[in-house]
């Protein structure tokens, strides 16, 4: 995947942004940017970390989408709060579990920033996904490192952690795209929607297509009654 970026926050007590790392790829070239709180006067610009991250994204329109793993329940919330403080317009795509899958932020000058959750595409913790998908990069720190507060870490260590997480997300998206495209599909917002593109392609090869059931009131009503906490799709017009 090209013209995409990744971002990652390190926080104190899970709610105060200590720093944010950005890593992005445009036309095959990699770039990175690191934003850190004042380590000698911690908390003096904590809110500014997220605001600077959002504003940095806004001046790079060539990056079409910014990803973070579990963005919808963690990293993206800091950007959302920053957008609110700055008076930006916001629009979100939300899953049934109240997880934000995609955020679109629009600045007063019209600049747009789109965030997506890579967890919606690969439903696995990043460290485990790195092993399962045999990514070249690995998590830089062991789990035990997080027993100490990021406030005690130096700027070099914070930067390495943020940028490594961003690199893993970009590699994970590349691997996912390779696999999905290999089956004839396209990368979409979620695993389910990406899988559906594969199904559509294979049906088209057989001269078939999924039926449009939007106007099939009775069948849709039956499907809704059969709903038990997972996505339900009716695939036949007249099932036995």
């Amino acid at each position: 995947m090209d013209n995409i970026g990744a971002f990652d926050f390190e926080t104190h007590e899970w709610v105060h942004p200590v720093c944010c790392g950005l890593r992005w790829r445009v036309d095959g070239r990699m770039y990175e940017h690191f934003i850190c709180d004042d380590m000698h006067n911690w908390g003096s610009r904590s809110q500014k970390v997220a605001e600077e991250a959002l504003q940095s994204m806004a001046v790079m329109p060539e990056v079409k989408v910014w990803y973070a793993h579990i963005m919808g329940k963690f990293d993206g919330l800091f950007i959302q709060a920053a957008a609110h403080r700055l008076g930006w317009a916001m629009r979100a795509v939300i899953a049934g579990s109240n997880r934000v899958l995609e955020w679109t932020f629009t600045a007063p000058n019209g600049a747009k920033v789109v965030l997506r959750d890579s967890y919606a595409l690969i439903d696995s913790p990043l460290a485990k996904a790195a092993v399962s998908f045999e990514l070249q990069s690995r998590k830089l720190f062991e789990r035990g490192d997080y027993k100490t507060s990021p406030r005690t870490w130096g700027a070099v260590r914070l930067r390495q952690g943020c940028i490594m997480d961003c690199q893993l997300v970009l590699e994970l998206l590349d691997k996912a795209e390779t696999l999905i495209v290999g089956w004839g599909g396209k990368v979409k917002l979620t695993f389910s929607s990406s899988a559906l593109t594969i199904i559509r392609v294979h049906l088209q090869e057989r001269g078939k297509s999924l039926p449009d059931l939007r106007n099939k009131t009775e069948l849709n009503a039956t499907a809704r009654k059969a709903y038990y906490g997972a996505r339900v799709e009716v695939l036949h017009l007249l099932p036995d």
Side-chain angles (χ1 to χ4, degrees):
M1 300 176 71
D2 213 351
N3 289 41
I4 62 169
F7 68 100
D8 179 64
F9 282 91
E10 293 293 351
T11 63
H12 171 59
E13 296 177 344
W14 299 104
V15 294
H16 302 294
V18 174
C19 61
C20 181
L22 304 176
R23 187 165 175 80
W24 65 98
R25 180 174 56 229
V26 175
D27 299 330
R29 296 186 64 183
M30 282 287 195
Y31 306 87
E32 62 185 52
H33 179 55
F34 180 66
I35 305 155
C36 193
D37 198 358
D38 186 347
M39 302 300 293
H40 301 290
N41 185 22
W42 188 87
S44 62
R45 58 186 293 272
S46 180
Q47 290 186 344
K48 298 298 183 182
V49 171
E51 292 176 11
E52 185 179 333
L54 176 58
Q55 291 167 331
S56 297
M57 294 173 183
V59 297
M60 291 181 274
E62 64 274 17
V63 179
K64 303 304 180 185
V65 183
W66 293 89
Y67 286 88
H69 214 61
I70 314 184
M71 180 276 296
K73 287 193 173 182
F74 188 64
D75 300 86
L77 299 179
F78 301 116
I79 299 292
Q80 186 270 341
H84 178 73
R85 290 192 296 268
L86 294 171
W88 290 34
M90 293 175 275
R91 181 171 56 85
V93 177
I94 302 175
S97 61
N98 295 324
R99 179 189 297 277
V100 179
L101 303 178
E102 180 182 81
W103 250 312
T104 301
F105 301 103
T106 305
N109 65 0
K112 291 185 181 296
V113 174
V114 178
L115 310 182
R116 285 186 179 177
D117 193 344
S118 53
Y119 188 85
L121 185 63
I122 304 297
D123 186 356
S124 172
L126 187 56
K128 290 185 177 180
V131 175
S132 298
F133 284 82
E134 299 179 345
L135 303 183
Q136 291 184 355
S137 299
R138 289 291 188 270
K139 184 72 175 177
L140 184 63
F141 303 131
E142 297 295 332
R143 183 179 301 176
D145 289 327
Y146 288 92
K147 292 180 180 178
T148 60
S149 169
R151 289 180 63 181
T152 66
W153 300 359
V156 172
R157 184 179 179 188
L158 287 168
R159 182 186 185 105
Q160 288 175 330
C162 283
I163 298 303
M164 180 58 69
D165 274 3
C166 293
Q167 178 63 25
L168 285 173
V169 168
L170 293 176
E171 288 185 17
L172 181 61
L173 292 169
D174 282 344
K175 194 64 174 287
E177 182 184 45
T178 298
L179 295 170
I180 292 169
V181 171
W183 282 93
K186 295 181 180 179
V187 175
K188 295 292 185 180
L189 191 57
T190 67
F191 175 81
S192 297
S193 55
S194 300
L196 196 58
T197 66
I198 298 173
I199 293 172
R200 290 184 187 277
V201 166
H202 285 264
L203 285 174
Q204 290 172 358
E205 291 175 351
R206 294 167 174 77
K208 300 178 180 180
S209 63
L210 292 174
D212 185 348
L213 301 179
R214 285 174 291 184
N215 295 322
K216 302 293 182 178
T217 305
E218 183 178 355
L219 286 177
N220 279 307
T222 301
R224 289 190 178 94
K225 290 179 181 178
Y227 182 86
Y228 284 99
R231 183 169 177 168
V232 174
E233 300 285 356
V234 180
L235 298 181
H236 299 281
L237 284 171
L238 295 173
D240 292 334

